[in-house]
Amino acid sequence: MRFYLFILFFSGSIFAQIDYPKDYFSPPLNIPMQLSGNFGELRPNHFHAGFDFKTQQREGLEVHAVADGYVSRIKISTFGNGKTIYITHSNGYTSVYGHLQRATAAIEYFIKNTHYADKAFEIEMYLKPGELVVKKGQIIAISGNTGSSEGPHLHFEFRDNITENIINPMFFGFDKYMKDTKKPVISSVYVYPLDDETVVNQSKRPLLLNLSLQKDGTYLADKVVANGKIGFGINTFDYDDVSFDKNGVFKVQTFNNGTPDFGYQFDTYSFDEMRYVNALIDYSRYKKTQQRIQKLFMWNPYKLSIIKTDETNGVLTVRPNLTSVYRIEVSDFYENKTIVSIPIKYGSLPAIIAQEPIVSKYFVKANNDSNFTKENMSVFFPARTFYDDFYLNFDVKNDTMFLHEDTVPAHTNFTISMEDHKHTEVQREKLFIAAIDGKKISYIPTFRKDSVFTAKTKTLGKFALVLDETPPKITIANSIEGKWISDKSIIQFTISDGLSGIKSYNGYLNGNWILFEYDYKTKKNNPQF
């Protein structure tokens, strides 16, 4: 049974606290727990869904079930978490183990039988409670580097059985397996003028504020002199005592003259909310500098459940004859805290730094449908595709659609349409809409009706119709044609395609289908005899 306790923080900031079991689950590895990624960490297009445990920079470690339960789901994919096992527990939670090299014993036997029954490497299975029962501490798999992993490690999650929301493993007592006495780091603070009339420190563009360390260990920022509506943003991260990797912070809370006005805590959220990471950060700055500034305001509110705010949504209005002190507090799960204070006063000095020039005649209102057409190409943005209104750079030249650039994040798909007048009917069977980035051509799943091609995407940029008449390539380092292979423990093939990519593949031995494991990072297939 789970008990719910709600704690009120001052006037409007509420974070739900649940009495999670602290001693029910054990660690999934028999080595000291070290993190290379923590819960809520900011990743491209998503928040990190769990912990990434280091595996001593190698594959092959034993992975253990963290509690009694049954294997409820198995997913084998070339992307994402790669080979993944899900174990459902009787106390209402599911544990997830990803990037595995392989499963063990009965689990691996079940997986291999499914590969051959489906004649596919990528498979997904949902199991009933009695099919594959496991005990706490049982070895269920061997750690690996499959899927989108950038190095050997174990991806680990907890999920709620009913809502399927992901939950910070720290709440289940995993904090006792690690040590953290270090305060989070706030490396930079920015102030943002939020409308056309506002001037901040004689600038109409975001400004970096200098920070000075005070005797009490807090920081004091430059004074902000402004008129109108402003907001703040921070670049922040956290270290622990054993991992020495930059990880995400647990909690951010802001105060205006002592009253909390905006905050978020990485405790639990749904997979549907993942992409809101692009609304939380200054996306344009990230794309230009790779620096993730977390915005401490919502100009156009969005539904990210971890955010708790008052009616201002973190937007401060600086008025005549009023001064204030804005405070930012950043904490980790161990309650180590870093504090920045920012004095704010009204001022109406003219802007020395002007706004960035607007060169587009197309304006997108985030809450409305928008459709733009030129020549044989068009784009349709459904309402709420974007988080904020913006001026769109749109043009068609030399059979290419120029659709702004990837500095404005889209939350949902928009539709690109192109009509073809140059190719034969046979060639149209091999046409697709591609995203163009320099010399890189990226395939987008494309639907055709007669001469009109449509595709859905979530990324702005350049697009064009591309003809793919070149078949994929299959290469092998050492030929096996006409040779005995019974003494071979492994044979590797490389498959690749320069345009639309590999849609499917199958391998056969003496006319019989055999399992090929595909690693998209190396483009190599390994047959499993």
Side-chain angles (χ1 to χ4, degrees), residues 63-65 69-76 83-87 97 100 102-115 123 125 127 131-135 138-142:
V63 178
H64 301 262
Y70 71 95
V71 177
S72 55
R73 182 184 176 193
I74 301 171
K75 185 174 183 180
I76 311 295
K83 297 182 179 182
T84 310
I85 294 175
Y86 302 71
I87 297 177
Y97 314 76
L100 304 172
R102 60 180 174 85
T104 58
I107 304 174
E108 182 66 14
Y109 180 79
F110 184 90
I111 292 171
K112 194 164 188 177
N113 283 345
T114 306
H115 280 307
I123 54 177
M125 299 151 280
L127 288 77
E131 289 187 80
L132 286 175
V133 176
V134 297
K135 293 294 184 180
Q138 178 180 330
I139 302 171
I140 60 167
I142 301 301

Side-chain angles (χ1 to χ4, degrees), residues 62-341:
E62 295 175 343
V63 178
H64 301 262
V66 296
D68 292 355
Y70 71 95
V71 177
S72 55
R73 182 184 176 193
I74 301 171
K75 185 174 183 180
I76 311 295
S77 174
T78 55
F79 297 95
N81 287 332
K83 297 182 179 182
T84 310
I85 294 175
Y86 302 71
I87 297 177
T88 294
H89 308 283
S90 60
N91 66 342
Y93 301 102
T94 292
S95 54
V96 182
Y97 314 76
H99 302 309
L100 304 172
Q101 183 188 92
R102 60 180 174 85
T104 58
I107 304 174
E108 182 66 14
Y109 180 79
F110 184 90
I111 292 171
K112 194 164 188 177
N113 283 345
T114 306
H115 280 307
Y116 277 87
D118 293 353
K119 292 187 177 180
F121 172 60
E122 291 195 294
I123 54 177
E124 187 168 12
M125 299 151 280
Y126 292 88
L127 288 77
K128 297 177 181 178
E131 289 187 80
L132 286 175
V133 176
V134 297
K135 293 294 184 180
K136 185 174 184 176
Q138 178 180 330
I139 302 171
I140 60 167
I142 301 301
S143 70
N145 186 30
T146 56
S148 300
S149 172
E150 295 181 355
H153 72 276
L154 174 68
H155 177 80
F156 179 77
E157 300 175 15
F158 281 116
R159 300 185 185 182
D160 185 285
N161 288 351
I162 298 174
T163 65
E164 296 189 356
N165 286 0
I166 42 177
I167 306 162
N168 193 330
M170 287 295 195
F171 287 115
F172 295 93
F174 274 58
D175 55 317
K176 64 176 175 281
Y177 302 121
M178 291 163 278
K179 186 178 180 181
D180 184 355
T181 61
K182 298 178 179 180
K183 293 181 179 180
V185 176
I186 301 177
S187 61
S188 55
V189 176
Y190 284 83
V191 59
Y192 290 77
L194 296 182
D195 58 29
D196 294 338
E197 290 74 35
T198 299
V199 177
V200 178
N201 292 1
Q202 294 191 274
S203 173
K204 288 198 169 189
R205 301 188 191 185
L207 285 179
L208 176 66
L209 299 176
N210 294 314
L211 303 178
S212 59
L213 180 63
Q214 305 300 292
K215 292 182 178 179
D216 62 358
T218 66
Y219 290 87
L220 180 66
D222 290 341
K223 180 184 291 186
V224 170
V225 180
N227 62 310
K229 298 183 182 299
I230 63 172
F232 291 90
I234 57 172
N235 186 18
T236 183
F237 53 88
D238 189 36
Y239 292 108
D240 61 36
D241 292 4
V242 295
S243 299
F244 309 109
D245 288 90
K246 287 183 179 181
N247 291 319
V249 300
F250 173 62
K251 181 180 178 181
V252 177
Q253 182 65 58
T254 67
F255 302 82
N256 187 19
N257 284 338
T259 300
D261 64 344
F262 189 90
Y264 44 92
Q265 177 175 296
F266 289 100
D267 45 19
T268 178
Y269 42 82
S270 73
F271 282 93
D272 290 341
E273 299 178 87
M274 287 292 205
R275 200 170 176 85
Y276 281 123
V277 66
N278 293 333
L280 179 67
I281 66 172
D282 183 339
Y283 187 84
S284 177
R285 185 176 297 273
Y286 165 63
K287 283 296 179 176
K288 294 173 182 176
T289 68
Q290 296 300 297
Q291 184 182 39
R292 291 188 175 95
I293 303 300
Q294 301 176 41
K295 295 186 293 186
L296 307 179
F297 62 91
M298 295 186 292
W299 184 241
N300 191 17
Y302 51 92
K303 296 179 180 180
L304 177 57
S305 64
I306 63 171
I307 292 178
K308 309 302 176 186
T309 183
D310 61 13
E311 67 280 357
T312 68
N313 292 313
V315 176
L316 281 68
T317 303
V318 185
R319 297 186 176 92
N321 303 319
L322 292 177
T323 60
S324 61
V325 175
Y326 183 80
R327 188 168 85 251
I328 304 168
E329 295 185 357
V330 178
S331 311
D332 60 26
F333 192 85
Y334 297 83
E335 298 185 354
N336 302 304
K337 184 183 295 184
T338 299
I339 299 173
V340 174
S341 296

